[in-house]
Structure formats: C-alpha cells, structure tokens
C-alpha cells in the first residue's frame, strides 16, 4: 500500500479581486451610477420609491464594481440581514471548532451573519427548545452533530425546517434525506489499521472516542472491519473519552502489556495520553509501540516523537455544509456547495515496524 506523506500547504495571498471588493464604497457606486448614496442604500435594501430604470442602473454598477454591502450599515438602515444559527455542544473540540470556522467563513462570504448556541449535554432538546435558541424566529439552522447532543438536536428539527448538519458517516442506507455533510473516517481508520498491519504488527488495539449515538463509532467500525478483513484478532476497544488525560488513564493498562505493539487512537488528544503512558511504562515509541492518532491537530507535527495521524478537512466540511444550506434556501442563485478534501494518512515518527519477538 502506498503510504501518505505529510503535505505542507502555504496560504494563498489575497486575490486582487477580493481587495478591489473591499475597497469599493457606497459612495463609489453612487458616483458611478450618477445617483445619491441614499438611492444606492434604498436599492441595496430593496426599499420602494426607486424608479425601475434607476434601480437597474444601480444594480449594474454594483455588479461591475463588485460592491459588497456592509452588513452593519444594512442593519442600521433597517434592511434585512440574513443569518444562521449554529447548534453545537462543544466549541473546544478540534473537529467542531474547525467546522465552525469553515461555516463562519462561508457564511460571511455569502453575507450571512452567524450566531452560535452551545447545547447542554444533559438538556432535553425538543423543537420548542431549539426554537428558543434561534436569534430570529424561523431562522435557518446548521447543526454540528459529532456527538450525542448535536445528533439529538438534528433529529429534533422538523424535516421541513431549513437546516443542514455535519454528521458522522451514516451507515449504508441510513441517510436522513436532509442536507448532511460528513467525512469518511470509517475508510480512513481502516486504511490506518491496514498500514499498521503492513508494518508487521499482529493486530492493532483501538482507543475509541465516544460515538454520536449508541452505535459503534465509525472510526472504531473501520478499525474492526480492517482487522476482520485481514483475519486478525479483534481486541476489545477501550473507551478513551476525548481528552489527553482520559487517553492517558485508559492507556496505562494497555501499554503495560508487552503484547500490545500498535494502538490506533480515536483522536490526537488520546494519542498524546498514550505517548505519556508509554514513556512512564518504559515503552519506546515506535521501537516497542506504534501510536497513530486521528484529526492531524496542529500540535501533531511537534510531539515527541512526531505523531502519525489521519488528516481530516473539518474546515472544508463546514464550508460544504453551509453551501448545502445556502442552496436549500436559495436554489436558483446559490452556488454549488464546495467539496472538501478526503481523509489522508500522514506518516510521521510515532509508527514503525513491529518489534522483533525472535530475539
């Protein structure tokens, strides 16, 4: 199997067109159209008392100059400001925070305001509860449903409500029929597991993150399928939680067993905990123990040893989810939702050949 290698991407410089759009003011439009700035404001905010020919001329100039109306100015003028509420249970989790960033970037580009409502883990979520969380009645909703509260909120929304979600990869034939965006972390986990088996490890243990529902998480499912497909022993997965501390506590008994030579972690935070537990147990990584994470958090390239992990495009996922919602709200004018990158195995220093048991 061909191994993925780290990819370093430099940020692209701002496009000239973007700079031009930012520099154009309402006064520039008014001057080019030969009207007052008040007339331009009335056109932008779809107010009455503007002649048809004048409105068409102003709209043409707006298009030619690439003028982007200021959202604050529009609100102060009493015009309609489009907005969306994002429901999420945790803005600190790596995947959720990046998905939220992608949503906000895409929404801002489409001139939408974004409100965020953090879901309580133990709160009952009914349609009435969700309605009370919206910045405006009937406002469209985006749900980050990576865990149980988000999944519950997504299920509670009526199917005819304007909404979209980022979700775990659905099981085959179990899609909701509503706008949903996901990453194929099941296949990515299977790829990472096969990679470790290819290094000579007899089996791979799994430190799992919680699933968004009662079923087995998709990363755990991909790991299991890869082991079964290779005819290898499938160890009982270990529940690891989300944090480095929970990973450390869960991994102490795991790494104490010298027969455990490879661990696939449900996220990079858990992998940090495994690395610490391995050091305390005197296990060399990767000489005695290979550790693979998930997500490719920024610190993964700065751990000791550098962490082999699976890179996931959460920001792209968020942009795609907003694009789906935008298309739902405005099917005639909204652009096609952008695509996001497929998961990618990033091989670094924390994984290596299985230890030689013959010596």
């Amino acid at each position: 199997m061909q191994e993925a290698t780290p990819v370093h991407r430099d940020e692209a410089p701002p496009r000239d067109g973007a700079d031009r759009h930012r520099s154009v003011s309402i006064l520039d439009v008014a001057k080019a159209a030969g009207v007052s700035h008040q007339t331009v404001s009335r056109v932008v905010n779809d107010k009455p008392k503007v002649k048809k020919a004048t409105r068409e001329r102003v709209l043409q100039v707006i298009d030619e100059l690439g003028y982007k109306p200021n959202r604050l100015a529009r609100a102060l003028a009493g015009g309609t400001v489009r907005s969306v509420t994002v429901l999420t249970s945790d803005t600190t989790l790596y995947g959720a925070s990046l998905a939220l960033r992608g949503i906000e970037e895409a929404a801002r580009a489409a001139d939408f305001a974004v409100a965020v409502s953090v879901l309580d883990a133990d709160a009952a979520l009914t349609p009435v509860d969700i309605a009370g969380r919206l910045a405006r009645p009937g406002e469209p909703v985006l749900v980050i449903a990576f865990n149980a509260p988000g999944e519950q909120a997504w299920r509670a929304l009526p199917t005819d409500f304007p909404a979209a979600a980022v979700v775990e990869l659905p099981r085959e034939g179990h899609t909701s029929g509503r706008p949903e965006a996901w990453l194929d972390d099941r296949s990515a986990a299977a790829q990472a597991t096969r990679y470790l088996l290819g290094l000579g490890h007899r089996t791979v243990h799994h430190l799992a993150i919680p699933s968004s529902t009662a079923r087995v998480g998709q990363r755990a499912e991909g790991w299991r399928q890869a082991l079964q497909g290779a005819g290898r022993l499938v160890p009982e997965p270990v529940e690891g939680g989300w944090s480095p501390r929970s990973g450390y506590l869960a991994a102490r008994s795991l790494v104490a067993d010298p027969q455990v030579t490879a661990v696939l972690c449900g996220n990079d935070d858990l992998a940090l905990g495994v690395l610490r537990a391995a050091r305390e147990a005197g296990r060399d990584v990767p000489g005695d123990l290979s550790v693979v994470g998930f997500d490719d958090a920024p610190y993964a390239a700065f751990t000791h040893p550098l962490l082999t992990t699976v890179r996931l495009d959460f920001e792209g996922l968020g942009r795609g989810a907003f694009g789906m919602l935008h298309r739902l709200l405005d099917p005639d004018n909204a652009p096609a939702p952008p695509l996001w990158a497929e998961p990618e195995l990033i091989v670094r220093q924390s994984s290596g050949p299985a230890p030689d048991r013959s010596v």
Side-chain angles (χ1 to χ4, degrees), residues 13-33:
R15 294 175 299 174
D16 292 341
D19 292 337
R20 176 172 58 85
H21 292 173
R22 286 194 293 270
S23 65
V24 176
S25 72
I26 193 172
L27 297 178
D28 296 324
V29 176
K31 181 178 180 181

Side-chain angles (χ1 to χ4, degrees), residues 135-203:
R136 292 180 174 83
E139 180 175 69
V141 169
L142 265 168
V143 184
I144 298 178
F146 287 146
N147 52 15
E151 177 75 12
Q152 184 182 354
W154 180 228
R155 291 198 308 266
L157 280 167
T159 56
D160 59 349
F161 194 88
V166 293
V167 299
E168 275 195 336
L169 174 70
R171 290 183 178 276
E172 188 174 353
H174 287 75
T175 56
S176 69
R178 295 187 287 173
E180 295 179 334
W182 60 77
L183 294 162
D184 192 353
D185 43 5
R186 184 198 307 159
S187 294
Q191 179 191 6
T193 303
R194 289 192 295 267
Y195 158 73
L196 288 167
L197 294 178
L199 292 174
H201 297 277
R202 296 176 182 176
T203 190

Side-chain angles (χ1 to χ4, degrees), residues 5-227:
T5 54
V7 178
H8 304 283
R9 298 185 178 91
D10 295 327
E11 292 186 3
R15 294 175 299 174
D16 292 341
D19 292 337
R20 176 172 58 85
H21 292 173
R22 286 194 293 270
S23 65
V24 176
S25 72
I26 193 172
L27 297 178
D28 296 324
V29 176
K31 181 178 180 181
V35 298
S36 68
H37 72 273
Q38 292 92 339
T39 298
V40 176
S41 178
R42 285 194 289 271
V43 171
V44 167
N45 292 296
D46 200 24
K47 298 289 186 179
K49 299 182 180 180
V50 179
K51 293 180 180 179
K52 181 180 178 181
T54 301
R55 185 181 299 275
E56 290 176 349
R57 184 166 70 254
V58 171
L59 290 173
Q60 180 181 354
V61 171
I62 287 174
D63 183 64
E64 290 173 351
L65 296 182
Y67 172 61
K68 297 292 185 182
N70 182 277
R71 187 183 296 137
L72 176 60
R74 178 184 295 173
L76 294 174
T80 300
V81 177
R82 298 180 297 178
S83 57
V84 58
T85 294
V86 179
L87 302 179
T88 178
S89 68
D90 196 335
T91 59
T92 64
L93 292 176
Y94 180 69
S97 66
L98 285 192
L100 180 59
R101 181 188 298 176
I103 290 169
E104 201 280 331
E105 288 177 354
R108 185 173 65 249
D111 205 26
F112 276 71
V114 176
V116 179
S117 180
V118 178
L119 304 169
D120 299 325
D122 301 323
L125 290 171
T126 67
V128 174
D129 297 325
I130 293 176
R133 293 175 174 273
L134 305 184
R136 292 180 174 83
E139 180 175 69
V141 169
L142 265 168
V143 184
I144 298 178
F146 287 146
N147 52 15
E151 177 75 12
Q152 184 182 354
W154 180 228
R155 291 198 308 266
L157 280 167
T159 56
D160 59 349
F161 194 88
V166 293
V167 299
E168 275 195 336
L169 174 70
R171 290 183 178 276
E172 188 174 353
H174 287 75
T175 56
S176 69
R178 295 187 287 173
E180 295 179 334
W182 60 77
L183 294 162
D184 192 353
D185 43 5
R186 184 198 307 159
S187 294
Q191 179 191 6
T193 303
R194 289 192 295 267
Y195 158 73
L196 288 167
L197 294 178
L199 292 174
H201 297 277
R202 296 176 182 176
T203 190
V204 177
H205 289 71
H206 183 52
L207 199 57
I209 56 173
S211 173
S212 65
T213 66
R215 68 175 186 264
V216 176
Q218 293 304 301
R219 298 178 187 184
E221 185 67 20
W223 158 79
R224 184 187 304 277
Q225 289 176 354
L227 290 179

